[in-house]
Amino acid sequence: MGTRDPRVDAYIAKSADFAKPILTHLREVIHEECPDVEETLKWNAPHFMYHGMLGGFASFKEHCAFGFWKGKLIVDDDDTRARAAMGQFGMLKTLKDLPPDRKLRSYVKKAMALNESGAKVPRPLKHPRKRIPDKPPTDLAAALKRSAKARKTFESFTPSARREYVEWITDAKRAETRAKRLATTLEWLAQGKKLHWKYE
């Protein structure tokens, strides 16, 4: 049996008049489709739990928003309103901004099934990593040939530790900066230091 949290009642009661029917409707649809859902507050907004996070809504001065926790796996991607606000349905200002009831209910069922199965949403890296080059850049390779000590250290490092030095050198915008970084790299490598040795 699901639970209703009195804090959600209070949240809806203090929301703007336009938001009350939207939030109330969303809440009822979720409870009807998922009788075992449990309500709670997270990040100061109502959320619905069913085998983990199902979804949640929030109310603002001029709109409200609703989102499924695994929305990318649930909601059709043809709804461009999702780019205008958090959640999958954009800025909700009237009940008409919600998907038709039949569709909304199917989304709730899909969210339940995903949570029951333990499905995870693939999360892309915020900054996709550059491919680690097979060889260091030409200027670094030439410098390493001249310093056996630096070369030995560089070759003993893990790929990620080598990458830090390579990216630091190649990300320099000006030739002078690159040359300065290359000199520092050789000095630190000769001392057996990683790029961020000061923070270790």
Side-chain angles (χ1 to χ4, degrees), residues 150 165 168-169 177-191 193-195 197-198:
Y165 270 117
W168 187 53
I169 292 167
T177 306
R178 184 169 176 137
K180 193 173 179 181
R181 288 182 182 180
L182 184 58
T184 303
T185 295
L186 284 181
E187 179 188 336
W188 288 352
L189 286 173
Q191 295 170 15
K193 295 176 177 176
K194 292 183 180 177
L195 179 62
W197 60 271
K198 293 178 185 177

Side-chain angles (χ1 to χ4, degrees), residues 28-195:
E28 294 311 313
V29 166
I30 291 167
H31 276 278
E32 287 169 15
E33 293 305 316
C34 184
D36 293 329
V37 75
E38 295 179 4
E39 296 180 346
T40 188
L41 282 190
K42 288 186 180 287
W43 305 288
N44 298 318
H47 280 74
F48 302 91
M49 307 295 291
Y50 176 75
H51 295 277
M53 189 85 77
L54 192 75
F57 55 60
S59 178
F60 305 98
K61 285 183 181 178
E62 296 184 4
H63 74 280
C64 48
F66 175 80
F68 289 103
W69 192 247
K70 296 174 181 169
K72 289 181 181 178
L73 302 177
I74 299 167
V75 179
D76 299 337
D77 201 29
D78 59 2
D79 194 342
T80 55
R81 291 176 301 164
R83 294 174 183 83
M86 65 183 212
Q88 285 85 43
F89 307 123
M91 294 185 182
L92 303 172
K93 297 181 179 182
T94 71
L95 282 167
K96 291 178 184 176
D97 293 329
L98 286 169
D101 255 22
R102 192 172 179 179
K103 198 170 196 181
L104 185 58
R105 290 174 187 279
S106 74
Y107 288 154
V108 174
K109 287 178 181 172
K110 196 169 181 181
M112 290 168 60
L114 287 168
N115 280 10
E116 287 168 358
S117 71
K120 303 277 184 201
V121 178
R123 303 210 184 275
L125 289 171
K126 288 183 181 177
H127 304 287
R129 291 234 170 197
K130 296 176 190 172
R131 188 182 150 275
I132 299 175
D134 296 329
K135 298 176 185 175
T138 314
D139 50 355
L140 176 58
L144 289 172
K145 278 185 183 178
R146 294 191 302 270
S147 173
K149 210 170 184 181
R151 182 176 66 250
K152 188 176 178 184
T153 302
F154 186 79
E155 289 172 354
S156 72
F157 281 164
T158 61
S160 60
R162 290 195 298 264
R163 177 210 299 264
E164 287 174 348
Y165 270 117
V166 170
E167 287 182 348
W168 187 53
I169 292 167
T170 57
D171 285 349
K173 302 284 187 262
R174 297 176 21 213
E176 299 85 17
T177 306
R178 184 169 176 137
K180 193 173 179 181
R181 288 182 182 180
L182 184 58
T184 303
T185 295
L186 284 181
E187 179 188 336
W188 288 352
L189 286 173
Q191 295 170 15
K193 295 176 177 176
K194 292 183 180 177
L195 179 62

Side-chain angles (χ1 to χ4, degrees), residues 2-9 27-28 31-32 37-39:
T3 62
R4 290 182 184 252
D5 191 323
R7 295 174 299 171
V8 175
D9 295 312
R27 186 186 195 190
E28 294 311 313
H31 276 278
E32 287 169 15
V37 75
E38 295 179 4
E39 296 180 346

